[in-house]
Amino acid sequence: MATLLDEVVARKRSPSGHGRHRAQLVAGLVVITVVAVCSLFAPLLAPYDPILTDPTAKFLPPGSAGHLLGTDELGRDLLSRLLWGGRTSLLLAVVAVAAATVVGSAAALAAGFAGPRVSGLIMRVVDVLFAFPVILVAIALAALLSPGAGVVVFAIGFAVVPYITRVVFAEVKQQRGREYVEAAVSLGAGRWSLTVREGLPNVVGPIVVYATSLVGAMVVFSASLSAVGIGVQPPAPDWGQMIASGAKVVISGHLYVALIPGLTVLLVALAFNWLGDGLNDVFDPRSRRGARR
């Protein structure tokens, strides 16, 4: 989990890759839009009830009559479960990352424009959060409460907040040395004014770019939690649940049951990463100037 997030943190921008990132922006938008629309209109698009079982139609291969993507070990239509599962998987990841982004950004802005004591305290708390294994936190929550969507949202938020805080804090520290901040201070602007009027508008771009990239990683993480039984519980359709149930029948030769939702998760995660790379071009004028040289 930490490795996946660290890879997102470490991604570099290259002026020579401007055209490639523009193509990735378009590709990411197309994939995410298609998946989001299909998931949103799942009640209209899904040919069957996603939890309806049919013992007489087990393991129908993709392309079977009436079942475009085939059926699983209980005779449930995979296309219907894939469409309905997107509503859960995407919603949990987006909502959790959005909430964590608000909390982490607020903490980073407060630390960036506060005095050294407050700033040091906030960042030490962030360091403590980094020390906790996220999967163990999720397991503890599932044991104390009960497995479900709430555990997924809290675990994602717990994982994302320290990363968002650290990245935004670094950006705020850079902005504090700019001329416009010094000018505002010389005019008597207080810390609240500096934070809201000067700091926030100038770090929105990096926040959007980074949070977008994290959604892709969290789609994978959400599916992982459901796959190990501490996320969304069956029979509710969820991509992680589909992968977990499909993995149990792979040995019997029905690879498609796990492969189809697995490829879907991979494609959506890549699409959000592509979108994040493309948005970096939009919000970073230096990369566009470098590409034109």
Side-chain angles (χ1 to χ4, degrees), residues 57-224:
K58 295 190 298 183
F59 294 127
L60 293 179
S64 300
H67 299 281
L68 182 62
L69 298 182
T71 59
D72 62 10
E73 72 280 4
L74 297 178
R76 297 172 297 191
D77 182 66
L78 286 180
L79 176 59
S80 300
R81 290 183 62 77
L82 201 66
L83 293 172
W84 279 92
R87 293 165 67 94
T88 303
S89 299
L90 284 178
L91 182 63
L92 291 180
V94 170
V95 169
V97 171
T101 299
V102 172
V103 174
S105 299
L109 286 166
F113 287 100
R117 290 185 178 180
V118 175
S119 177
L121 176 61
I122 293 175
M123 298 314 296
R124 296 299 75 76
V125 171
V126 170
D127 291 339
V128 171
L129 293 180
F130 271 118
F132 282 92
V134 180
I135 188 65
L136 293 183
V137 172
I139 293 174
L141 284 172
L144 291 174
L145 304 175
S146 61
V151 171
V152 175
V153 171
F154 188 89
I156 290 176
F158 190 90
V160 170
V161 165
Y163 284 91
I164 287 286
T165 305
R166 181 66 61 81
V167 169
V168 177
F169 178 73
E171 186 68 25
V172 171
K173 294 294 284 186
Q174 290 183 359
Q175 296 295 328
R176 282 197 62 176
R178 301 290 174 84
E179 291 80 0
Y180 73 89
V181 175
E182 295 177 356
V185 172
S186 65
L187 292 174
R191 288 177 180 175
W192 174 255
S193 178
L194 288 175
T195 302
V196 177
R197 296 183 179 180
E198 308 296 340
L200 181 58
N202 288 283
V203 297
V204 167
I207 291 173
V208 171
V209 171
Y210 188 60
T212 302
S213 300
L214 282 179
V215 172
M218 292 305 103
V219 168
V220 177
F221 183 51
S222 172
S224 301

Side-chain angles (χ1 to χ4, degrees), residues 28 31-32 35-36 89-90 212 215-217 219-220 239 262-274:
V31 171
I32 293 170
V35 173
S89 299
L90 284 178
T212 302
V215 172
V219 168
V220 177
W239 292 343
L263 289 177
T264 301
V265 171
L266 175 62
L267 180 61
V268 171
L270 286 174
F272 275 105
N273 286 335
W274 294 337

